[in-house]
């Protein structure tokens, strides 16, 4: 690898005699030898005061909790440790010590990949903390019934008018708050509300450790989705038992087809109203309805395929 030679450094305030030129050449040779040493063995450069003025002291910078992206030339940026805050330090810009264009491009490319990785990781962690931060404050507002003291009829009316958060959105955040808190120390990924619903009954029945175990099992297979979490819960024995349909003693007589009309909006509103009074019962009914609809769709697909 060809090293980039430093530019000539002018001698400030010194005469141009041969002794000063020899001193400058000796210092340059010392610097060349120092750069060829391993980084761990290098000593601070001994720069003659007459050649290069001492740099101004830089202000102290707060130490970042998560380290690891020390070198832009690292091929695989590290993942934040579990004990850290989860945010990665953005790599500092530096230039490679080569004049070869291909090598310089590779060096800068590795730096770009590292910056993209850190930015994505920090965004996911920020979204996770946003979910928890919103949930804690919405829960406090709801528990203290502050809407009654500010002229709003309901908790949902307050969140909609003050924060632009619909009632069902606020309730969804509150539903998964405990799950998000249980996972905060084991993953820095963004925690989306919908997949976390699978873990709510596991938290209620088996506790936070079971939630973390289910998440870890689902994460072993790649992207964590609601389906992956359900499969992991079934494998670990944490999934709630499914209610079996009641069998009729005699087959029902076939009835003539009647026009079908179902107001899905009314059903959803009824479940949301029930959730205000009894969240656990509303969740069970919603899950039962979801399972029934899924089974019906599968039956219809099978009938169409057979025909």
């Amino acid at each position: 690898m060809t090293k980039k030679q430093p530019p000539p450094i002018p001698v400030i305030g010194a005469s141009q005699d041969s002794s000063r030129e020899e001193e400058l050449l000796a210092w340059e040779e010392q610097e060349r030898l120092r750069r060829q040493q391993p980084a761990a063995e290098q000593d601070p450069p001994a720069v003659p005061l007459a050649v290069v003025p001492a740099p101004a002291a830089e202000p102290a910078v707060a130490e970042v909790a998560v380290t690891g992206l020390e070198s832009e030339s690292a091929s695989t940026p590290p993942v934040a440790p579990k004990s850290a805050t989860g945010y990665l330090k953005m790599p500092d810009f530096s230039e490679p010590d080569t004049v070869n264009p291909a090598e310089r491009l590779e060096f800068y490319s590795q730096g770009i990949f590292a910056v993209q990785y850190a930015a994505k990781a920090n965004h996911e962690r920020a979204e996770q903390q946003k979910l928890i931060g919103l949930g804690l404050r919405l829960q406090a507002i709801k528990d203290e019934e502050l809407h009654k003291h500010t002229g709003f009829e309901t908790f949902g009316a307050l969140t909609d008018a003050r924060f632009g958060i619909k009632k069902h959105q606020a309730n969804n955040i509150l539903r998964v708050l405990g799950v998000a808190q249980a996972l905060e120390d084991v993953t820095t990924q963004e925690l989306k509300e919908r997949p976390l619903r699978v873990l709510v009954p596991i938290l209620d029945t088996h506790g936070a450790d079971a939630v973390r175990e289910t998440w870890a099992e689902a994460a072993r297979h790649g992207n964590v989705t609601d389906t992956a979490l359900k499969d992991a819960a079934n494998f670990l024995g944490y999934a709630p038992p499914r209610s079996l349909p009641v069998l009729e003693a005699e087959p029902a007589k076939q009835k003539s087809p009647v026009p079908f009309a179902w107001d899905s909006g009314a059903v959803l509103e009824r479940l949301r109203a029930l959730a205000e009074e009894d969240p656990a019962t509303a969740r069970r009914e919603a899950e039962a309805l979801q399972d029934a609809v899924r089974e019906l769709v599968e039956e219809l697909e099978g009938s169409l395929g057979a025909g």
Side-chain angles (χ1 to χ4, degrees):
M1 180 182 297
T2 305
K3 299 291 184 179
K4 183 171 65 175
Q5 297 297 328
I9 302 177
V11 179
I12 301 176
S15 62
Q16 302 298 326
D17 59 352
S18 60
S19 63
R20 295 303 297 165
E21 291 181 1
E22 293 175 358
E23 179 182 354
L24 178 58
L25 292 174
W27 174 79
E28 290 179 348
E29 177 65 16
Q30 179 183 356
E31 284 297 288
R32 186 184 66 80
L33 295 175
R34 183 185 64 81
R35 285 195 295 270
Q36 293 177 351
Q37 296 177 356
E41 300 178 2
Q42 288 186 11
D43 296 326
V47 182
L49 295 179
V51 178
V52 179
E58 297 182 356
V61 180
E63 184 174 346
V64 180
V66 180
T67 59
L69 291 176
E70 298 294 340
S71 174
E72 283 193 278
S73 61
S75 59
T76 305
V79 178
K82 294 181 180 180
S83 60
T85 60
Y87 293 100
L88 298 180
K89 178 181 181 297
M90 196 64 65
D92 296 328
F93 173 78
S94 62
E95 293 188 18
D97 56 354
T98 176
V99 296
N100 184 288
E103 294 175 351
R104 293 179 70 85
L105 175 60
E106 179 63 22
F107 183 87
Y108 291 136
S109 299
Q110 291 294 333
I112 289 175
F113 294 145
V115 168
Q116 290 175 333
Y117 177 89
K120 182 177 184 296
N122 291 340
H123 172 75
E124 291 190 355
R125 183 63 166 183
E127 289 298 316
Q128 177 195 112
Q129 295 300 297
K130 174 185 175 181
L131 176 64
I132 296 175
L134 289 177
L136 290 172
R137 289 158 179 80
L138 290 173
Q139 188 67 67
I141 292 174
K142 188 172 185 179
D143 290 344
E144 298 177 26
E145 298 184 336
L146 297 181
H147 63 277
K148 296 181 178 179
H149 304 279
T150 51
F152 293 95
E153 295 183 359
T154 63
F155 165 73
L158 185 150
T159 61
D160 190 5
R162 181 68 65 89
F163 314 115
I165 302 176
K166 300 293 184 181
K167 180 179 68 175
H168 70 276
Q169 293 175 325
N171 289 331
N172 288 342
I173 293 174
L174 296 181
R175 182 193 310 175
V176 301
L177 174 60
V179 172
Q181 289 178 296
L183 296 174
E184 182 181 11
D185 294 333
V186 300
T187 179
T188 59
Q189 294 182 20
E190 178 181 357
L191 300 177
K192 297 183 179 181
E193 179 268 330
R194 183 177 179 83
L196 295 187
R197 298 178 194 175
V198 178
L199 300 175
V200 173
I202 298 176
L203 177 67
D204 296 339
T205 306
H206 303 284
D209 288 339
V211 168
R212 290 188 279 267
E213 186 180 354
T214 304
W215 178 274
E217 177 61 31
R220 286 199 312 117
H221 306 287
N223 189 26
V224 180
T225 62
D226 51 351
T227 301
L229 289 171
K230 289 179 182 178
D231 292 341
N234 285 323
F235 173 74
L236 296 172
Y238 294 138
R242 297 181 61 180
S243 58
L244 298 176
V246 179
L247 299 178
E248 298 181 358
E250 296 181 358
K253 297 180 179 179
Q254 291 187 352
K255 299 180 180 179
S256 58
V258 295
F260 178 77
W262 180 55
D263 188 352
S264 58
V267 175
L268 294 178
E269 286 299 323
R270 185 185 68 81
L271 289 175
R272 287 169 180 163
L274 178 60
E276 293 286 337
E277 302 175 358
D278 189 352
T281 300
R283 183 178 66 248
R284 286 195 296 269
E285 290 193 15
E287 291 172 349
L289 178 60
Q290 184 181 32
D291 290 341
V293 172
R294 184 183 297 109
E295 291 175 358
L296 178 59
V297 171
E298 293 175 354
E299 292 176 3
L300 293 175
E301 290 177 348
S303 299
L304 292 175

